[in-house]
Amino acid sequence: MPILKSIVFGTVLLIFMNSPLEQFSVISLYSVQLGYIDVSVTNSAIYCLLTVGCIGIIWSTLFLDGGLVIPSRYQVVSEMLYEFVSGLVLEQLGSHEARKYVGIVFTTWLFILAANLIGLIPFSFATTAQLVVAFGLSFSLFIGVTLIGVFKHGLSFLSFFLPGGAPIGLAPLLVVIELISYIFRPISLGVRLFANITAGHSLLAIIANFAWAMATNGLYVILSIIPIVVIVAIYGLELAVAFLQAYVFAVLFCIYLKDAIELH
């Protein structure tokens, strides 16, 4: 019942939007200008901080039970989540160095998952549907992965852009192709997260407006039940997408890490 009530409230909110994309509007809550740089506090920034705050509070509370002989059910769930991501990293990297990267992958996965789930709460804001947030995550991790490769292999890292055994005559063309492919990695990573979250929320808004239009027309009141049922189904799908996108982001991050470590 609480989930159904949340869906109803969320549907009402979506109905009164002028546009399906209005829910993604970044609103300045407190204007701050430092010279030519605008550092205003926005709803997007607030929800990013809220996501980090929720993770920090919940996780620190869970570990207060760490000294108990029999851990609480919440601590068991948290340990299962950590073991899930830890197993993912060890499976993808498959090297003795994998353990040192579990922390960053788990933190990234948990932030994206929490942000996606918070974005599904009625009257909230989906931060991962902001291109700047998605690109901020993907490009910062991409730069970190590149630095790992450079520090580990030095100039040998450049061999990553020339496949082994390739003819020397094709080297200039292959290097350009590999370089472009490498640069597009963070772009595809960010766009994938942004596009999937945006598409799902926009679809909810469109169907909610359609349901409202049918409900306000006396001839189609009964038929308006159909789009409402569809909204409930899409909410369930969006919950699955929230987990799936966090998982896909973490898997691709691990793949890029492996490439940087092993130069494959």
Side-chain angles (χ1 to χ4, degrees), residues 196-247:
N196 279 280
I197 301 302
T198 302
H201 285 67
S202 298
L203 182 60
L204 282 172
I206 292 171
I207 296 178
N209 277 285
F210 179 64
W212 178 253
M214 295 181 67
T216 53
N217 190 321
L219 299 176
Y220 303 104
V221 173
I222 298 178
L223 292 178
S224 65
I225 298 175
I226 297 176
I228 292 175
V229 172
V230 173
I231 289 175
V232 174
I234 293 178
Y235 254 97
L237 179 62
E238 283 301 294
L239 283 172
V241 169
F243 284 91
L244 182 61
Q245 288 306 310
Y247 175 77

mmCIF file of all heavy atoms in Angstrom, residues 196-247:
data_model
loop_
_atom_site.group_PDB
_atom_site.id
_atom_site.type_symbol
_atom_site.label_atom_id
_atom_site.label_comp_id
_atom_site.label_asym_id
_atom_site.label_seq_id
_atom_site.Cartn_x
_atom_site.Cartn_y
_atom_site.Cartn_z
ATOM 1 N N ASN A 196 18.962 6.670 -20.071
ATOM 2 C CA ASN A 196 18.025 5.682 -19.535
ATOM 3 C C ASN A 196 17.159 6.255 -18.418
ATOM 4 O O ASN A 196 15.946 5.991 -18.373
ATOM 5 C CB ASN A 196 18.804 4.464 -19.015
ATOM 6 C CG ASN A 196 19.197 3.511 -20.116
ATOM 7 O OD1 ASN A 196 18.398 2.705 -20.577
ATOM 8 N ND2 ASN A 196 20.435 3.615 -20.562
ATOM 9 N N ILE A 197 17.759 7.031 -17.535
ATOM 10 C CA ILE A 197 16.982 7.626 -16.441
ATOM 11 C C ILE A 197 16.027 8.685 -16.982
ATOM 12 O O ILE A 197 14.853 8.744 -16.589
ATOM 13 C CB ILE A 197 17.923 8.252 -15.390
ATOM 14 C CG1 ILE A 197 18.871 7.192 -14.827
ATOM 15 C CG2 ILE A 197 17.109 8.874 -14.260
ATOM 16 C CD1 ILE A 197 18.194 6.012 -14.185
ATOM 17 N N THR A 198 16.495 9.516 -17.905
ATOM 18 C CA THR A 198 15.652 10.555 -18.499
ATOM 19 C C THR A 198 14.475 9.950 -19.255
ATOM 20 O O THR A 198 13.332 10.418 -19.133
ATOM 21 C CB THR A 198 16.476 11.441 -19.447
ATOM 22 O OG1 THR A 198 17.559 12.038 -18.728
ATOM 23 C CG2 THR A 198 15.612 12.544 -20.049
ATOM 24 N N ALA A 199 14.747 8.907 -20.037
ATOM 25 C CA ALA A 199 13.686 8.282 -20.835
ATOM 26 C C ALA A 199 12.592 7.700 -19.946
ATOM 27 O O ALA A 199 11.398 7.865 -20.225
ATOM 28 C CB ALA A 199 14.295 7.202 -21.721
ATOM 29 N N GLY A 200 12.985 7.021 -18.878
ATOM 30 C CA GLY A 200 11.995 6.412 -17.997
ATOM 31 C C GLY A 200 11.114 7.434 -17.308
ATOM 32 O O GLY A 200 9.879 7.288 -17.268
ATOM 33 N N HIS A 201 11.718 8.492 -16.768
ATOM 34 C CA HIS A 201 10.945 9.531 -16.092
ATOM 35 C C HIS A 201 10.059 10.295 -17.071
ATOM 36 O O HIS A 201 8.930 10.674 -16.731
ATOM 37 C CB HIS A 201 11.886 10.501 -15.375
ATOM 38 C CG HIS A 201 12.475 9.943 -14.111
ATOM 39 N ND1 HIS A 201 13.354 8.891 -14.104
ATOM 40 C CD2 HIS A 201 12.302 10.293 -12.805
ATOM 41 C CE1 HIS A 201 13.704 8.615 -12.864
ATOM 42 N NE2 HIS A 201 13.083 9.444 -12.055
ATOM 43 N N SER A 202 10.559 10.533 -18.280
ATOM 44 C CA SER A 202 9.762 11.241 -19.285
ATOM 45 C C SER A 202 8.555 10.406 -19.698
ATOM 46 O O SER A 202 7.452 10.932 -19.882
ATOM 47 C CB SER A 202 10.625 11.565 -20.514
ATOM 48 O OG SER A 202 11.702 12.411 -20.176
ATOM 49 N N LEU A 203 8.763 9.101 -19.848
ATOM 50 C CA LEU A 203 7.657 8.218 -20.222
ATOM 51 C C LEU A 203 6.576 8.213 -19.147
ATOM 52 O O LEU A 203 5.375 8.230 -19.461
ATOM 53 C CB LEU A 203 8.191 6.795 -20.440
ATOM 54 C CG LEU A 203 7.166 5.745 -20.890
ATOM 55 C CD1 LEU A 203 6.549 6.146 -22.224
ATOM 56 C CD2 LEU A 203 7.831 4.371 -21.011
ATOM 57 N N LEU A 204 6.984 8.222 -17.894
ATOM 58 C CA LEU A 204 6.003 8.295 -16.801
ATOM 59 C C LEU A 204 5.177 9.567 -16.890
ATOM 60 O O LEU A 204 3.958 9.549 -16.696
ATOM 61 C CB LEU A 204 6.727 8.227 -15.451
ATOM 62 C CG LEU A 204 7.204 6.854 -14.983
ATOM 63 C CD1 LEU A 204 8.069 6.992 -13.739
ATOM 64 C CD2 LEU A 204 6.020 5.940 -14.702
ATOM 65 N N ALA A 205 5.850 10.694 -17.181
ATOM 66 C CA ALA A 205 5.143 11.975 -17.267
ATOM 67 C C ALA A 205 4.164 11.988 -18.439
ATOM 68 O O ALA A 205 3.033 12.485 -18.315
ATOM 69 C CB ALA A 205 6.155 13.111 -17.409
ATOM 70 N N ILE A 206 4.577 11.443 -19.564
ATOM 71 C CA ILE A 206 3.710 11.432 -20.753
ATOM 72 C C ILE A 206 2.465 10.587 -20.513
ATOM 73 O O ILE A 206 1.339 11.000 -20.820
ATOM 74 C CB ILE A 206 4.499 10.897 -21.969
ATOM 75 C CG1 ILE A 206 5.591 11.894 -22.368
ATOM 76 C CG2 ILE A 206 3.569 10.635 -23.146
ATOM 77 C CD1 ILE A 206 6.552 11.365 -23.402
ATOM 78 N N ILE A 207 2.651 9.386 -19.946
ATOM 79 C CA ILE A 207 1.502 8.507 -19.707
ATOM 80 C C ILE A 207 0.598 9.088 -18.626
ATOM 81 O O ILE A 207 -0.628 8.956 -18.691
ATOM 82 C CB ILE A 207 1.996 7.102 -19.311
ATOM 83 C CG1 ILE A 207 2.766 6.472 -20.470
ATOM 84 C CG2 ILE A 207 0.827 6.209 -18.924
ATOM 85 C CD1 ILE A 207 3.328 5.110 -20.176
ATOM 86 N N ALA A 208 1.174 9.768 -17.629
ATOM 87 C CA ALA A 208 0.360 10.388 -16.581
ATOM 88 C C ALA A 208 -0.512 11.493 -17.166
ATOM 89 O O ALA A 208 -1.697 11.613 -16.810
ATOM 90 C CB ALA A 208 1.270 10.951 -15.490
ATOM 91 N N ASN A 209 0.046 12.305 -18.048
ATOM 92 C CA ASN A 209 -0.752 13.346 -18.705
ATOM 93 C C ASN A 209 -1.842 12.736 -19.587
ATOM 94 O O ASN A 209 -2.960 13.261 -19.663
ATOM 95 C CB ASN A 209 0.166 14.236 -19.552
ATOM 96 C CG ASN A 209 0.839 15.320 -18.732
ATOM 97 O OD1 ASN A 209 0.223 16.312 -18.358
ATOM 98 N ND2 ASN A 209 2.113 15.125 -18.427
ATOM 99 N N PHE A 210 -1.525 11.636 -20.235
ATOM 100 C CA PHE A 210 -2.500 10.945 -21.077
ATOM 101 C C PHE A 210 -3.643 10.400 -20.227
ATOM 102 O O PHE A 210 -4.823 10.506 -20.594
ATOM 103 C CB PHE A 210 -1.802 9.824 -21.839
ATOM 104 C CG PHE A 210 -2.719 9.028 -22.720
ATOM 105 C CD1 PHE A 210 -3.356 9.618 -23.798
ATOM 106 C CD2 PHE A 210 -2.944 7.678 -22.473
ATOM 107 C CE1 PHE A 210 -4.205 8.882 -24.618
ATOM 108 C CE2 PHE A 210 -3.792 6.936 -23.279
ATOM 109 C CZ PHE A 210 -4.427 7.540 -24.359
ATOM 110 N N ALA A 211 -3.297 9.822 -19.071
ATOM 111 C CA ALA A 211 -4.318 9.291 -18.170
ATOM 112 C C ALA A 211 -5.222 10.401 -17.647
ATOM 113 O O ALA A 211 -6.442 10.234 -17.532
ATOM 114 C CB ALA A 211 -3.650 8.555 -17.001
ATOM 115 N N TRP A 212 -4.625 11.551 -17.320
ATOM 116 C CA TRP A 212 -5.415 12.682 -16.827
ATOM 117 C C TRP A 212 -6.362 13.219 -17.897
ATOM 118 O O TRP A 212 -7.508 13.554 -17.619
ATOM 119 C CB TRP A 212 -4.476 13.774 -16.342
ATOM 120 C CG TRP A 212 -5.178 15.011 -15.866
ATOM 121 C CD1 TRP A 212 -5.258 16.220 -16.490
ATOM 122 C CD2 TRP A 212 -5.937 15.159 -14.652
ATOM 123 N NE1 TRP A 212 -5.995 17.109 -15.756
ATOM 124 C CE2 TRP A 212 -6.421 16.478 -14.618
ATOM 125 C CE3 TRP A 212 -6.231 14.295 -13.601
ATOM 126 C CZ2 TRP A 212 -7.186 16.958 -13.558
ATOM 127 C CZ3 TRP A 212 -7.003 14.773 -12.553
ATOM 128 C CH2 TRP A 212 -7.462 16.086 -12.541
ATOM 129 N N ALA A 213 -5.859 13.273 -19.136
ATOM 130 C CA ALA A 213 -6.710 13.748 -20.236
ATOM 131 C C ALA A 213 -7.896 12.831 -20.445
ATOM 132 O O ALA A 213 -9.017 13.286 -20.709
ATOM 133 C CB ALA A 213 -5.873 13.853 -21.514
ATOM 134 N N MET A 214 -7.693 11.533 -20.307
ATOM 135 C CA MET A 214 -8.808 10.587 -20.455
ATOM 136 C C MET A 214 -9.760 10.667 -19.274
ATOM 137 O O MET A 214 -10.982 10.567 -19.436
ATOM 138 C CB MET A 214 -8.256 9.168 -20.591
ATOM 139 C CG MET A 214 -7.438 8.913 -21.840
ATOM 140 S SD MET A 214 -6.853 7.208 -21.949
ATOM 141 C CE MET A 214 -8.384 6.328 -22.178
ATOM 142 N N ALA A 215 -9.207 10.857 -18.050
ATOM 143 C CA ALA A 215 -10.044 10.895 -16.851
ATOM 144 C C ALA A 215 -10.934 12.128 -16.826
ATOM 145 O O ALA A 215 -12.036 12.101 -16.277
ATOM 146 C CB ALA A 215 -9.169 10.858 -15.605
ATOM 147 N N THR A 216 -10.470 13.238 -17.387
ATOM 148 C CA THR A 216 -11.254 14.478 -17.388
ATOM 149 C C THR A 216 -12.263 14.517 -18.528
ATOM 150 O O THR A 216 -13.055 15.443 -18.624
ATOM 151 C CB THR A 216 -10.323 15.696 -17.497
ATOM 152 O OG1 THR A 216 -9.445 15.540 -18.623
ATOM 153 C CG2 THR A 216 -9.500 15.851 -16.232
ATOM 154 N N ASN A 217 -12.201 13.536 -19.411
ATOM 155 C CA ASN A 217 -13.170 13.435 -20.502
ATOM 156 C C ASN A 217 -14.197 12.376 -20.112
ATOM 157 O O ASN A 217 -13.868 11.206 -19.908
ATOM 158 C CB ASN A 217 -12.451 13.039 -21.802
ATOM 159 C CG ASN A 217 -13.373 13.148 -23.007
ATOM 160 O OD1 ASN A 217 -14.554 12.821 -22.943
ATOM 161 N ND2 ASN A 217 -12.815 13.608 -24.115
ATOM 162 N N GLY A 218 -15.439 12.789 -19.987
ATOM 163 C CA GLY A 218 -16.487 11.902 -19.494
ATOM 164 C C GLY A 218 -16.624 10.597 -20.253
ATOM 165 O O GLY A 218 -17.042 9.581 -19.709
ATOM 166 N N LEU A 219 -16.242 10.611 -21.530
ATOM 167 C CA LEU A 219 -16.412 9.421 -22.356
ATOM 168 C C LEU A 219 -15.345 8.366 -22.105
ATOM 169 O O LEU A 219 -15.524 7.200 -22.452
ATOM 170 C CB LEU A 219 -16.390 9.823 -23.846
ATOM 171 C CG LEU A 219 -17.489 10.793 -24.293
ATOM 172 C CD1 LEU A 219 -17.288 11.172 -25.751
ATOM 173 C CD2 LEU A 219 -18.873 10.168 -24.095
ATOM 174 N N TYR A 220 -14.214 8.794 -21.508
ATOM 175 C CA TYR A 220 -13.082 7.875 -21.379
ATOM 176 C C TYR A 220 -12.661 7.658 -19.925
ATOM 177 O O TYR A 220 -11.542 7.232 -19.664
ATOM 178 C CB TYR A 220 -11.884 8.404 -22.170
ATOM 179 C CG TYR A 220 -12.173 8.628 -23.625
ATOM 180 C CD1 TYR A 220 -12.363 9.920 -24.123
ATOM 181 C CD2 TYR A 220 -12.254 7.548 -24.504
ATOM 182 C CE1 TYR A 220 -12.624 10.130 -25.460
ATOM 183 C CE2 TYR A 220 -12.529 7.758 -25.847
ATOM 184 C CZ TYR A 220 -12.713 9.049 -26.322
ATOM 185 O OH TYR A 220 -12.983 9.249 -27.639
ATOM 186 N N VAL A 221 -13.553 7.959 -18.978
ATOM 187 C CA VAL A 221 -13.182 7.822 -17.565
ATOM 188 C C VAL A 221 -12.786 6.390 -17.229
ATOM 189 O O VAL A 221 -11.771 6.136 -16.568
ATOM 190 C CB VAL A 221 -14.340 8.281 -16.656
ATOM 191 C CG1 VAL A 221 -14.011 7.975 -15.207
ATOM 192 C CG2 VAL A 221 -14.609 9.765 -16.846
ATOM 193 N N ILE A 222 -13.577 5.443 -17.683
ATOM 194 C CA ILE A 222 -13.298 4.040 -17.373
ATOM 195 C C ILE A 222 -11.998 3.586 -18.045
ATOM 196 O O ILE A 222 -11.178 2.874 -17.454
ATOM 197 C CB ILE A 222 -14.471 3.150 -17.817
ATOM 198 C CG1 ILE A 222 -15.744 3.534 -17.048
ATOM 199 C CG2 ILE A 222 -14.143 1.673 -17.605
ATOM 200 C CD1 ILE A 222 -16.963 2.739 -17.441
ATOM 201 N N LEU A 223 -11.798 4.030 -19.286
ATOM 202 C CA LEU A 223 -10.595 3.620 -20.022
ATOM 203 C C LEU A 223 -9.319 4.215 -19.425
ATOM 204 O O LEU A 223 -8.223 3.717 -19.697
ATOM 205 C CB LEU A 223 -10.712 4.044 -21.489
ATOM 206 C CG LEU A 223 -11.782 3.326 -22.309
ATOM 207 C CD1 LEU A 223 -11.813 3.871 -23.733
ATOM 208 C CD2 LEU A 223 -11.519 1.815 -22.331
ATOM 209 N N SER A 224 -9.464 5.267 -18.603
ATOM 210 C CA SER A 224 -8.274 5.887 -18.001
ATOM 211 C C SER A 224 -7.578 4.945 -17.020
ATOM 212 O O SER A 224 -6.439 5.194 -16.622
ATOM 213 C CB SER A 224 -8.659 7.186 -17.289
ATOM 214 O OG SER A 224 -9.516 6.921 -16.186
ATOM 215 N N ILE A 225 -8.269 3.882 -16.628
ATOM 216 C CA ILE A 225 -7.649 2.902 -15.729
ATOM 217 C C ILE A 225 -6.466 2.225 -16.417
ATOM 218 O O ILE A 225 -5.472 1.872 -15.777
ATOM 219 C CB ILE A 225 -8.687 1.846 -15.289
ATOM 220 C CG1 ILE A 225 -9.821 2.511 -14.501
ATOM 221 C CG2 ILE A 225 -8.041 0.744 -14.461
ATOM 222 C CD1 ILE A 225 -10.942 1.568 -14.127
ATOM 223 N N ILE A 226 -6.544 2.062 -17.734
ATOM 224 C CA ILE A 226 -5.500 1.358 -18.481
ATOM 225 C C ILE A 226 -4.148 2.068 -18.362
ATOM 226 O O ILE A 226 -3.154 1.439 -17.971
ATOM 227 C CB ILE A 226 -5.909 1.196 -19.960
ATOM 228 C CG1 ILE A 226 -7.165 0.328 -20.054
ATOM 229 C CG2 ILE A 226 -4.759 0.580 -20.771
ATOM 230 C CD1 ILE A 226 -7.705 0.181 -21.459
ATOM 231 N N PRO A 227 -4.048 3.386 -18.673
ATOM 232 C CA PRO A 227 -2.747 4.040 -18.515
ATOM 233 C C PRO A 227 -2.270 4.094 -17.060
ATOM 234 O O PRO A 227 -1.068 4.103 -16.809
ATOM 235 C CB PRO A 227 -2.975 5.446 -19.074
ATOM 236 C CG PRO A 227 -4.444 5.641 -19.102
ATOM 237 C CD PRO A 227 -5.033 4.285 -19.314
ATOM 238 N N ILE A 228 -3.214 4.117 -16.106
ATOM 239 C CA ILE A 228 -2.814 4.113 -14.696
ATOM 240 C C ILE A 228 -2.139 2.789 -14.345
ATOM 241 O O ILE A 228 -1.121 2.756 -13.640
ATOM 242 C CB ILE A 228 -4.030 4.353 -13.783
ATOM 243 C CG1 ILE A 228 -4.549 5.781 -13.972
ATOM 244 C CG2 ILE A 228 -3.664 4.112 -12.317
ATOM 245 C CD1 ILE A 228 -5.811 6.091 -13.208
ATOM 246 N N VAL A 229 -2.688 1.683 -14.842
ATOM 247 C CA VAL A 229 -2.064 0.372 -14.637
ATOM 248 C C VAL A 229 -0.687 0.330 -15.293
ATOM 249 O O VAL A 229 0.277 -0.224 -14.740
ATOM 250 C CB VAL A 229 -2.963 -0.747 -15.207
ATOM 251 C CG1 VAL A 229 -2.239 -2.094 -15.173
ATOM 252 C CG2 VAL A 229 -4.265 -0.831 -14.422
ATOM 253 N N VAL A 230 -0.579 0.968 -16.465
ATOM 254 C CA VAL A 230 0.713 1.021 -17.169
ATOM 255 C C VAL A 230 1.737 1.797 -16.342
ATOM 256 O O VAL A 230 2.913 1.426 -16.276
ATOM 257 C CB VAL A 230 0.536 1.663 -18.564
ATOM 258 C CG1 VAL A 230 1.894 1.876 -19.223
ATOM 259 C CG2 VAL A 230 -0.333 0.780 -19.445
ATOM 260 N N ILE A 231 1.294 2.884 -15.691
ATOM 261 C CA ILE A 231 2.191 3.676 -14.855
ATOM 262 C C ILE A 231 2.745 2.834 -13.706
ATOM 263 O O ILE A 231 3.935 2.888 -13.393
ATOM 264 C CB ILE A 231 1.453 4.913 -14.306
ATOM 265 C CG1 ILE A 231 1.192 5.910 -15.440
ATOM 266 C CG2 ILE A 231 2.272 5.591 -13.200
ATOM 267 C CD1 ILE A 231 0.364 7.100 -15.024
ATOM 268 N N VAL A 232 1.868 2.048 -13.083
ATOM 269 C CA VAL A 232 2.311 1.176 -11.992
ATOM 270 C C VAL A 232 3.367 0.190 -12.501
ATOM 271 O O VAL A 232 4.395 -0.051 -11.852
ATOM 272 C CB VAL A 232 1.124 0.419 -11.373
ATOM 273 C CG1 VAL A 232 1.605 -0.584 -10.334
ATOM 274 C CG2 VAL A 232 0.133 1.400 -10.749
ATOM 275 N N ALA A 233 3.122 -0.365 -13.687
ATOM 276 C CA ALA A 233 4.075 -1.322 -14.265
ATOM 277 C C ALA A 233 5.404 -0.648 -14.586
ATOM 278 O O ALA A 233 6.477 -1.216 -14.352
ATOM 279 C CB ALA A 233 3.482 -1.949 -15.526
ATOM 280 N N ILE A 234 5.345 0.584 -15.104
ATOM 281 C CA ILE A 234 6.576 1.299 -15.467
ATOM 282 C C ILE A 234 7.361 1.671 -14.212
ATOM 283 O O ILE A 234 8.601 1.669 -14.225
ATOM 284 C CB ILE A 234 6.241 2.552 -16.308
ATOM 285 C CG1 ILE A 234 5.677 2.128 -17.664
ATOM 286 C CG2 ILE A 234 7.481 3.423 -16.507
ATOM 287 C CD1 ILE A 234 5.270 3.281 -18.549
ATOM 288 N N TYR A 235 6.665 1.989 -13.125
ATOM 289 C CA TYR A 235 7.368 2.260 -11.864
ATOM 290 C C TYR A 235 8.185 1.033 -11.442
ATOM 291 O O TYR A 235 9.328 1.155 -10.989
ATOM 292 C CB TYR A 235 6.372 2.624 -10.764
ATOM 293 C CG TYR A 235 6.378 4.092 -10.419
ATOM 294 C CD1 TYR A 235 5.434 4.951 -10.986
ATOM 295 C CD2 TYR A 235 7.307 4.618 -9.539
ATOM 296 C CE1 TYR A 235 5.421 6.294 -10.674
ATOM 297 C CE2 TYR A 235 7.305 5.969 -9.226
ATOM 298 C CZ TYR A 235 6.355 6.803 -9.793
ATOM 299 O OH TYR A 235 6.368 8.133 -9.495
ATOM 300 N N GLY A 236 7.585 -0.138 -11.584
ATOM 301 C CA GLY A 236 8.326 -1.356 -11.273
ATOM 302 C C GLY A 236 9.518 -1.537 -12.198
ATOM 303 O O GLY A 236 10.608 -1.935 -11.762
ATOM 304 N N LEU A 237 9.307 -1.224 -13.485
ATOM 305 C CA LEU A 237 10.406 -1.309 -14.445
ATOM 306 C C LEU A 237 11.512 -0.321 -14.111
ATOM 307 O O LEU A 237 12.702 -0.646 -14.221
ATOM 308 C CB LEU A 237 9.867 -1.052 -15.857
ATOM 309 C CG LEU A 237 10.898 -1.085 -16.993
ATOM 310 C CD1 LEU A 237 11.528 -2.467 -17.095
ATOM 311 C CD2 LEU A 237 10.232 -0.704 -18.313
ATOM 312 N N GLU A 238 11.139 0.877 -13.689
ATOM 313 C CA GLU A 238 12.137 1.897 -13.344
ATOM 314 C C GLU A 238 12.957 1.496 -12.117
ATOM 315 O O GLU A 238 14.132 1.847 -12.013
ATOM 316 C CB GLU A 238 11.440 3.241 -13.086
ATOM 317 C CG GLU A 238 11.006 3.965 -14.355
ATOM 318 C CD GLU A 238 12.181 4.245 -15.255
ATOM 319 O OE1 GLU A 238 13.071 5.035 -14.882
ATOM 320 O OE2 GLU A 238 12.217 3.668 -16.349
ATOM 321 N N LEU A 239 12.338 0.775 -11.197
ATOM 322 C CA LEU A 239 13.107 0.241 -10.064
ATOM 323 C C LEU A 239 14.179 -0.723 -10.548
ATOM 324 O O LEU A 239 15.324 -0.696 -10.074
ATOM 325 C CB LEU A 239 12.166 -0.469 -9.077
ATOM 326 C CG LEU A 239 11.321 0.423 -8.166
ATOM 327 C CD1 LEU A 239 10.318 -0.419 -7.396
ATOM 328 C CD2 LEU A 239 12.215 1.188 -7.194
ATOM 329 N N ALA A 240 13.809 -1.560 -11.512
ATOM 330 C CA ALA A 240 14.781 -2.492 -12.080
ATOM 331 C C ALA A 240 15.871 -1.741 -12.838
ATOM 332 O O ALA A 240 17.057 -2.091 -12.752
ATOM 333 C CB ALA A 240 14.083 -3.480 -13.011
ATOM 334 N N VAL A 241 15.482 -0.694 -13.552
ATOM 335 C CA VAL A 241 16.451 0.108 -14.306
ATOM 336 C C VAL A 241 17.427 0.803 -13.361
ATOM 337 O O VAL A 241 18.617 0.941 -13.664
ATOM 338 C CB VAL A 241 15.725 1.142 -15.195
ATOM 339 C CG1 VAL A 241 16.706 2.154 -15.778
ATOM 340 C CG2 VAL A 241 14.978 0.435 -16.317
ATOM 341 N N ALA A 242 16.938 1.249 -12.200
ATOM 342 C CA ALA A 242 17.802 1.919 -11.221
ATOM 343 C C ALA A 242 18.946 0.996 -10.800
ATOM 344 O O ALA A 242 20.107 1.419 -10.718
ATOM 345 C CB ALA A 242 16.977 2.335 -10.001
ATOM 346 N N PHE A 243 18.635 -0.271 -10.534
ATOM 347 C CA PHE A 243 19.665 -1.241 -10.174
ATOM 348 C C PHE A 243 20.532 -1.595 -11.381
ATOM 349 O O PHE A 243 21.763 -1.694 -11.266
ATOM 350 C CB PHE A 243 19.017 -2.515 -9.615
ATOM 351 C CG PHE A 243 18.519 -2.379 -8.207
ATOM 352 C CD1 PHE A 243 17.220 -1.967 -7.949
ATOM 353 C CD2 PHE A 243 19.352 -2.656 -7.133
ATOM 354 C CE1 PHE A 243 16.745 -1.831 -6.656
ATOM 355 C CE2 PHE A 243 18.893 -2.525 -5.824
ATOM 356 C CZ PHE A 243 17.588 -2.115 -5.593
ATOM 357 N N LEU A 244 19.886 -1.776 -12.535
ATOM 358 C CA LEU A 244 20.611 -2.216 -13.722
ATOM 359 C C LEU A 244 21.627 -1.188 -14.182
ATOM 360 O O LEU A 244 22.767 -1.537 -14.535
ATOM 361 C CB LEU A 244 19.610 -2.519 -14.845
ATOM 362 C CG LEU A 244 20.205 -3.033 -16.159
ATOM 363 C CD1 LEU A 244 20.930 -4.347 -15.920
ATOM 364 C CD2 LEU A 244 19.113 -3.198 -17.213
ATOM 365 N N GLN A 245 21.246 0.096 -14.185
ATOM 366 C CA GLN A 245 22.166 1.136 -14.646
ATOM 367 C C GLN A 245 23.362 1.293 -13.709
ATOM 368 O O GLN A 245 24.483 1.544 -14.156
ATOM 369 C CB GLN A 245 21.427 2.467 -14.796
ATOM 370 C CG GLN A 245 20.489 2.517 -15.984
ATOM 371 C CD GLN A 245 21.198 2.155 -17.277
ATOM 372 O OE1 GLN A 245 22.246 2.679 -17.603
ATOM 373 N NE2 GLN A 245 20.595 1.248 -18.030
ATOM 374 N N ALA A 246 23.127 1.147 -12.407
ATOM 375 C CA ALA A 246 24.246 1.181 -11.459
ATOM 376 C C ALA A 246 25.173 -0.007 -11.704
ATOM 377 O O ALA A 246 26.407 0.127 -11.668
ATOM 378 C CB ALA A 246 23.725 1.161 -10.022
ATOM 379 N N TYR A 247 24.596 -1.158 -11.989
ATOM 380 C CA TYR A 247 25.387 -2.362 -12.244
ATOM 381 C C TYR A 247 26.196 -2.229 -13.534
ATOM 382 O O TYR A 247 27.400 -2.535 -13.566
ATOM 383 C CB TYR A 247 24.456 -3.567 -12.333
ATOM 384 C CG TYR A 247 25.141 -4.860 -12.718
ATOM 385 C CD1 TYR A 247 25.895 -5.572 -11.793
ATOM 386 C CD2 TYR A 247 25.028 -5.362 -14.010
ATOM 387 C CE1 TYR A 247 26.532 -6.757 -12.146
ATOM 388 C CE2 TYR A 247 25.657 -6.534 -14.374
ATOM 389 C CZ TYR A 247 26.404 -7.228 -13.439
ATOM 390 O OH TYR A 247 27.040 -8.391 -13.800
#
